Amino acid sequence: MQLSNRITTLLGDGHDGWGLYLKSREMIDAGIPVIELTIGEHDIRTHPDILNAMHKSALGGHTGYAAVPGVTALRQAVAARVQDRTGVPTTIDNVLITPGGQSALFSSHHAVCDEGDTALFIDPYYATYPATLRAVGAIATPVAAHARDNFEPQAEAIAKHAKGAKSLLINTPNNPTGVVYSRATLKGIADVCRENDLWLISDEVYDTQIWQGEHLSPRALPDMAQRTLVVGSMSKSHAMTGSRIGWIVAPEEAIEHLSNLATHTTYGVPGYIQDAALFALEQGPPLEAEIAAPFARRREIAMRVLDGQNVVKHLPAMGAMYLMLDVHATGMSGEEFGHALLDNEHIAVMPGNSFGQSAAGHIRVAMTVEDGVFGQALERLVGFAKGLAG
Ligand code: PMP
């Protein structure tokens, strides 16, 4: 029997660099102690108070089908949070609760792209982007952002691909680069979207992790609310990766249709998860700051280790839980360096090219292990690179 073309070609040829991750997993399974700086998973678990709220809700009977667009109180809390942060009037009719940001990315593209439409995204990119766009039948088209521009996408480069395209996906604070897009960059992006009638899908799942600069949601720029779908998630902000809870904030008409799509795909998000998410949002910025704090500390540690040497160059780590390091001076590709580091130092990182060609010659380091271990790992990484560079 023949499976669909769409599903059998989902991954395309974009699986470069993941061999390293798999190799580190095999070493760990074989009992070799590897320091894992690969995946964007917190080293803390969901806060016990959030779990208590989940437990209470489930025991209280919220275990049946929950309202598909999301329970009203949670939609209200998300609308209020987004309005507070952006100044854009936002009601529950602008909010769909989704099982995580990933589902929100898929559904958003489903809402704006027809089969064969061109969907733009910025390279370097979060690993799932190309296949997510292909999954809705769109032609996933990368637009390169360059290290020389701090990996901020340039409006002219987007404009070159924008003619006839349907949508543009951006992500700030950015995974994998740790860059927070400047106001000027976002204004340039908004101009291109308006001039070319593009939908903008704005992935803001790291909006609570800002170390430098400020996070600006492009939905707040003039005339952008009507063409922007914001993807949000509680995975990173509340260490709730396994709860699968996120949202889309978009024009009312889009939410109406997205709600129909949810009815025919996920049938919503479990009620006790939504109640736990509501409790978490009600704790406000203090809880978000507590969850972001370890990354802020480790970023300081990293800056101390990386400053005062120039073999491993680093971008200003402005946000999110990652560092993007340039290892060209070792004479190796990011992938070669990653393998050598794993073999010799038992430290696992992601090669830049697993996030697109623009990040080749780089490695991504996730700041997801305890401070002391993290500092030592970085020192060893720098020492190893210096040895290679001679
Ligand atoms: N967007 C970005 C940029 C991410 O890094 C991730 C997760 N690593 C997601 C979306 C999806 O997150 P989730 O589905 O857990 O909300």
Side-chain angles (χ1 to χ4, degrees), residues 100-102 105 126 171 175 203 205-206 233 235-236 244:
Q102 180 56 42
L105 283 165
Y126 170 49
N171 169 225
N175 174 14
D203 178 343
V205 306
Y206 291 98
S233 170
S235 287
K236 313 295 172 176
R244 312 310 305 132

Side-chain angles (χ1 to χ4, degrees), residues 144-321:
H146 299 287
R148 61 173 183 269
D149 300 318
N150 255 349
F151 287 116
E152 294 211 42
Q154 303 298 297
E156 311 79 67
I158 301 169
K160 275 195 193 128
H161 292 84
K163 214 171 166 38
K166 203 62 178 287
S167 62
L168 167 66
L169 168 59
I170 62 167
N171 169 225
T172 180
N174 188 268
N175 174 14
T177 62
V179 170
V180 176
Y181 291 0
S182 70
R183 184 171 284 268
T185 293
L186 287 163
K187 276 186 166 168
I189 289 171
D191 288 344
V192 177
C193 288
R194 282 191 227 93
E195 281 156 20
N196 295 277
D197 203 19
L198 294 183
W199 286 98
L200 181 63
I201 296 165
S202 179
D203 178 343
E204 302 180 21
V205 306
Y206 291 98
D207 70 347
T208 60
Q209 299 182 1
I210 311 286
W211 327 126
Q212 192 184 318
E214 55 157 352
H215 171 62
L216 171 65
S217 172
R219 184 168 176 268
L221 293 173
D223 295 328
M224 286 306 288
Q226 67 211 46
R227 61 170 71 253
T228 304
L229 290 81
V230 175
V231 169
S233 170
M234 298 189 64
S235 287
K236 313 295 172 176
S237 59
H238 293 82
M240 290 180 74
T241 48
S243 290
R244 312 310 305 132
I245 178 94
W247 57 76
I248 300 171
V249 169
E252 279 180 30
E253 190 194 353
I255 295 298
E256 227 177 279
H257 291 291
L258 280 161
S259 182
N260 292 337
L261 178 65
T263 299
H264 297 91
T265 50
T266 60
Y267 218 94
V269 175
Y272 49 90
I273 301 285
Q274 296 197 60
D275 288 344
L278 175 62
F279 170 86
L281 287 184
E282 282 170 352
Q283 307 316 299
L287 179 58
E288 295 177 355
E290 185 184 324
I291 291 162
F295 305 117
R297 284 197 314 267
R298 292 167 198 162
R299 183 227 180 227
E300 289 299 317
I301 293 171
M303 295 305 111
R304 276 200 297 278
V305 174
L306 294 166
D307 282 348
Q309 57 82 46
N310 56 9
V311 174
V312 180
K313 295 199 184 66
H314 63 97
L315 288 172
M318 300 172 74
M321 48 175 85

